[in-house]
Amino acid sequence: EKSGYTHFMLKEIFEQPQAILNTFRSRIDPEHGQLCLPELGLSDRDIKGIGRIVLLACGSSWHAALVAKYWLEQWVGIPVEVDIASEFRYRRLLLDKNVLVIPITQSGETADTLAGTRLALKSGAKVVAICNVLGSTITREVHGTLYTHAGPEIGVASTKAFTCQLVALFLLTLYLAQVRGTMASRERLTMIESLVELPVVLERELPGWQEEMERLAEEFVKSRDFLFLARGENFPIALEGALKLKEISYIHAEGYAAGEMKHGPIALIDRDMPVLALVPQNGVYDKVVANVEEVKARHGRLILLGSRGDANIGRIADHVVYLPVILPDLNPILYTVPLQLLAYQVARLRGCDVDQPRNLAKSVTVE
Ligand code: M6R
């Protein structure tokens, strides 16, 4: 049931604070800054022996994997590869028992992700799935499953399942860092505190974002194309924002690493091209600002999502959406939500079938 919401997608967007809370609640001890993830089925010895991590997934789940690469390499110091499952399954895999393979799938039934998982199991690698559906096919085959507790997701566009995958991957990062001793316990405590704060922040911001995104959507409802830009751990969120928009509103959209602009896409910029960039005040802030200034110089229509209190971005952009300042590592989760709402509002104004977009199925069980 939609509980008064016009679409399942909107309901699921608004369920995110609760879904995120459910995903981390039983796994952290906020008082002592400790994590506990026995469901991984990995001993401390297994974890200390990991030489490489391979993440594989499709669609939005692949975007979650791309964010996790930044977190894991930064905080655990293990090299991470990210593969699209349909690519992974048709190339030579150099796996062995010291590789941890992590398939990520909301449904647990995606054909390519399952096939890739089976190859990984055969190679002798350790395989731990991140999945939302209890007892789904993948969970019956892998060594362990870290469940996202997002609850059933009906809308074809992944929303709460995606942000909960990010939460699960963040917990996994902190846990591996804890066992391998790669992060000071004080730092881990700070990160856990910020994670605990996140549902509160989202709950508070959601109604305002909904209104702001409705206004933005009115202005851009007729656009033919859209470019999403970001850098660092937020770059995959540019991909996710573009995927959301194209799948439910049928507007052509691309996500790009902002630094790649000058290697091609900048040729597309003119007065009709909306460019949305994520510019939170983090380590690559100056770089992204320099990139979007180039968009402005070419008269692109610039929308910036950045930090509340940033006095600079308002001067460059046609539209600014201010988001609260949180732990930078968690920005990928925070910045996803207004992009979901933007896609939703645009699709709604265009009269699209938001929950059941054309040509798409909720789970892709054929190759
Ligand atoms: O169930 P899965 O997570 O394996 O599904 C993967 C993709 O099919 C899925 O994320 C798809 O891209 C969504 N429609 C995105 O909104």
Side-chain angles (χ1 to χ4, degrees):
E1 250 321 288
K2 290 183 208 149
S3 340
Y5 289 96
T6 37
H7 295 93
F8 281 110
M9 182 181 178
L10 191 62
K11 171 174 177 264
E12 288 160 3
I13 290 172
F14 275 82
E15 279 171 354
Q16 286 175 114
Q18 187 63 48
I20 287 170
L21 177 67
N22 293 346
T23 300
F24 69 67
R25 186 160 42 189
S26 62
R27 292 159 165 160
I28 56 171
D29 170 359
E31 227 160 274
H32 303 97
Q34 292 281 329
L35 287 100
C36 184
L37 298 178
E39 59 268 59
L40 299 180
L42 299 173
S43 67
D44 285 5
R45 204 171 144 191
D46 291 335
I47 290 173
K48 286 180 184 145
I50 299 169
R52 185 157 57 98
I53 296 177
V54 175
L55 304 168
L56 72 122
C58 303
S60 289
S61 301
W62 175 62
H63 298 155
L66 290 170
V67 173
K69 177 181 164 76
Y70 289 87
W71 287 337
L72 288 161
E73 290 186 339
Q74 173 70 31
W75 299 114
V76 192
I78 299 178
V80 177
E81 284 171 36
V82 180
D83 259 81
I84 291 175
S86 55
E87 291 298 315
F88 179 84
R89 59 184 292 197
Y90 294 117
R91 63 183 178 82
R92 182 173 170 206
L93 298 175
L94 303 172
L95 302 176
D96 59 52
K97 64 175 182 18
N98 295 323
V99 179
L100 173 63
V101 177
I102 308 179
I104 306 169
T105 167
Q106 186 283 132
S107 61
E109 307 293 347
T110 300
D112 285 316
T113 308
L114 270 174
T117 299
R118 287 173 183 147
L119 291 171
L121 285 164
K122 227 185 270 170
S123 75
K126 297 245 161 10
V127 186
V128 174
I130 293 186
C131 185
N132 193 46
V133 178
L134 207 76
S136 56
T137 305
I138 204 164
T139 65
R140 286 184 264 119
E141 302 191 14
V142 292
H143 301 126
T145 300
L146 180 59
Y147 279 106
T148 45
H149 297 304
E153 192 180 65
I154 312 289
V156 163
S158 182
T159 52
K160 61 176 181 170
F162 174 71
T163 47
C164 287
Q165 285 169 343
L166 290 175
V167 170
L169 287 159
F170 190 71
L171 293 172
L172 181 74
T173 302
L174 296 183
Y175 182 64
L176 297 186
Q178 172 181 306
V179 173
R180 291 171 68 110
T182 51
M183 184 191 279
S185 37
R186 171 134 299 283
E187 193 149 31
R188 203 173 55 239
L189 185 61
T190 308
M191 294 215 166
I192 291 174
E193 283 167 358
S194 308
L195 182 62
V196 169
E197 206 33 48
L198 186 61
V200 182
V201 172
L202 289 174
E203 189 80 58
R204 193 183 63 218
E205 301 292 325
L206 266 161
W209 287 339
Q210 191 186 7
E211 281 174 26
E212 263 185 285
M213 291 304 149
E214 190 172 0
R215 281 200 297 278
L216 262 190
E218 278 161 11
E219 176 156 353
F220 293 98
V221 67
K222 295 234 164 69
S223 299
R224 278 190 39 208
D225 309 277
F226 236 98
L227 207 52
F228 290 77
L229 303 175
R231 288 176 89 125
E233 67 274 15
N234 297 303
F235 156 54
I237 305 311
L239 300 180
E240 175 63 7
L243 177 61
K244 284 295 88 101
L245 187 67
K246 66 187 136 191
E247 73 178 329
I248 62 167
S249 77
Y250 317 138
I251 294 176
H252 166 239
E254 283 191 67
Y256 248 88
E260 270 289 293
M261 273 270 296
K262 56 170 79 66
H263 300 282
I266 199 159
L268 295 168
I269 309 286
D270 61 16
R271 288 175 201 280
D272 296 325
M273 180 61 129
V275 179
L276 184 152
L278 309 182
V279 287
Q281 285 172 321
N282 59 15
V284 288
Y285 170 79
D286 291 341
K287 301 287 169 194
V288 188
V289 167
N291 297 139
V292 296
E293 275 171 341
E294 291 174 21
V295 171
K296 207 56 237 161
R298 285 157 188 82
H299 310 290
R301 297 165 74 190
L302 193 59
I303 307 158
L304 294 180
L305 270 60
S307 311
R308 203 162 279 160
D310 181 339
N312 190 28
I313 48 179
R315 291 189 295 106
I316 327 167
D318 302 293
H319 298 275
V320 186
V321 181
Y322 292 102
L323 277 71
V325 176
I326 61 166
L327 179 80
D329 297 80
L330 292 174
N331 277 332
I333 306 176
L334 183 75
Y335 279 69
T336 293
V337 182
L339 299 189
Q340 296 168 342
L341 283 164
L342 176 64
Y344 172 79
Q345 297 291 9
V346 171
R348 191 181 57 80
L349 289 175
R350 287 165 70 102
C352 299
D353 188 347
V354 172
D355 287 332
Q356 285 282 312
R358 68 188 181 204
N359 309 338
L360 288 172
K362 181 65 185 163
S363 63
V364 183
T365 54
V366 291
E367 188 176 345

Short mmCIF file of all heavy atoms in Angstrom, two decimals, residues 58-61 105-107 110 156-158 244 247, ligand 1:
data_model
loop_
_atom_site.label_atom_id
_atom_site.label_comp_id
_atom_site.label_asym_id
_atom_site.label_seq_id
_atom_site.Cartn_x
_atom_site.Cartn_y
_atom_site.Cartn_z
N CYS A 58 25.00 -4.72 -10.86
CA CYS A 58 24.41 -4.07 -12.03
C CYS A 58 23.65 -2.81 -11.60
O CYS A 58 23.15 -2.74 -10.47
CB CYS A 58 23.39 -4.97 -12.71
SG CYS A 58 24.03 -6.57 -13.22
N GLY A 59 23.51 -1.87 -12.51
CA GLY A 59 22.65 -0.71 -12.31
C GLY A 59 23.03 0.11 -11.09
O GLY A 59 24.20 0.39 -10.83
N SER A 60 22.02 0.47 -10.30
CA SER A 60 22.26 1.28 -9.11
C SER A 60 23.18 0.56 -8.13
O SER A 60 24.01 1.20 -7.47
CB SER A 60 20.94 1.58 -8.39
OG SER A 60 20.19 2.50 -9.14
N SER A 61 23.03 -0.75 -8.05
CA SER A 61 23.89 -1.51 -7.12
C SER A 61 25.36 -1.37 -7.52
O SER A 61 26.25 -1.34 -6.66
CB SER A 61 23.47 -2.98 -7.12
OG SER A 61 22.12 -3.09 -6.74
N THR A 105 23.27 -6.78 -4.63
CA THR A 105 22.02 -6.89 -5.37
C THR A 105 20.82 -6.73 -4.45
O THR A 105 20.71 -7.41 -3.44
CB THR A 105 21.94 -8.23 -6.15
OG1 THR A 105 20.61 -8.44 -6.61
CG2 THR A 105 22.37 -9.44 -5.33
N GLN A 106 19.95 -5.83 -4.80
CA GLN A 106 18.73 -5.62 -4.02
C GLN A 106 17.91 -6.89 -4.01
O GLN A 106 17.54 -7.41 -2.97
CB GLN A 106 17.93 -4.46 -4.62
CG GLN A 106 16.70 -4.01 -3.85
CD GLN A 106 15.47 -4.91 -3.98
OE1 GLN A 106 14.84 -5.28 -2.98
NE2 GLN A 106 15.14 -5.30 -5.18
N SER A 107 17.63 -7.41 -5.21
CA SER A 107 16.69 -8.53 -5.36
C SER A 107 17.30 -9.88 -5.02
O SER A 107 16.60 -10.80 -4.61
CB SER A 107 16.20 -8.58 -6.81
OG SER A 107 17.31 -8.79 -7.67
N THR A 110 19.25 -11.06 -9.80
CA THR A 110 19.75 -10.53 -11.07
C THR A 110 20.66 -11.56 -11.75
O THR A 110 21.65 -12.02 -11.16
CB THR A 110 20.50 -9.21 -10.81
OG1 THR A 110 19.58 -8.30 -10.22
CG2 THR A 110 21.05 -8.61 -12.09
N VAL A 156 10.22 0.54 -9.50
CA VAL A 156 11.30 -0.04 -10.31
C VAL A 156 12.61 0.72 -10.07
O VAL A 156 13.70 0.14 -10.04
CB VAL A 156 10.91 -0.07 -11.81
CG1 VAL A 156 12.12 -0.28 -12.70
CG2 VAL A 156 9.89 -1.20 -12.04
N ALA A 157 12.50 2.03 -9.90
CA ALA A 157 13.70 2.82 -9.62
C ALA A 157 14.15 2.55 -8.19
O ALA A 157 13.38 2.72 -7.24
CB ALA A 157 13.39 4.30 -9.80
N SER A 158 15.37 2.13 -8.05
CA SER A 158 15.88 1.84 -6.71
C SER A 158 16.14 3.14 -5.95
O SER A 158 16.79 4.05 -6.46
CB SER A 158 17.18 1.04 -6.84
OG SER A 158 17.65 0.71 -5.57
N LYS A 244 18.64 7.67 -12.47
CA LYS A 244 17.28 7.89 -11.96
C LYS A 244 16.48 8.72 -12.95
O LYS A 244 15.35 8.40 -13.28
CB LYS A 244 17.29 8.64 -10.61
CG LYS A 244 17.67 7.89 -9.36
CD LYS A 244 16.75 6.80 -8.92
CE LYS A 244 17.14 5.50 -9.57
NZ LYS A 244 17.90 4.57 -8.77
N GLU A 247 15.74 6.78 -16.31
CA GLU A 247 14.84 5.62 -16.28
C GLU A 247 13.39 5.98 -16.01
O GLU A 247 12.50 5.31 -16.51
CB GLU A 247 15.35 4.50 -15.37
CG GLU A 247 15.27 4.73 -13.89
CD GLU A 247 15.76 3.51 -13.08
OE1 GLU A 247 15.63 2.36 -13.54
OE2 GLU A 247 16.26 3.73 -11.96
O1 M6R B 1 18.27 -6.28 -7.77
P1 M6R B 1 19.58 -5.66 -8.23
O2 M6R B 1 20.15 -4.75 -7.23
O3 M6R B 1 20.57 -6.73 -8.64
O4 M6R B 1 19.22 -4.85 -9.51
C1 M6R B 1 20.20 -4.19 -10.25
C2 M6R B 1 19.62 -3.23 -11.25
O5 M6R B 1 18.76 -3.92 -12.14
C3 M6R B 1 18.86 -2.08 -10.60
O6 M6R B 1 19.63 -1.37 -9.69
C4 M6R B 1 18.33 -1.11 -11.68
O7 M6R B 1 19.41 -0.45 -12.30
C5 M6R B 1 17.34 -0.11 -11.08
N1 M6R B 1 16.21 0.06 -11.96
C6 M6R B 1 17.94 1.24 -10.84
O8 M6R B 1 17.02 2.15 -10.36
#
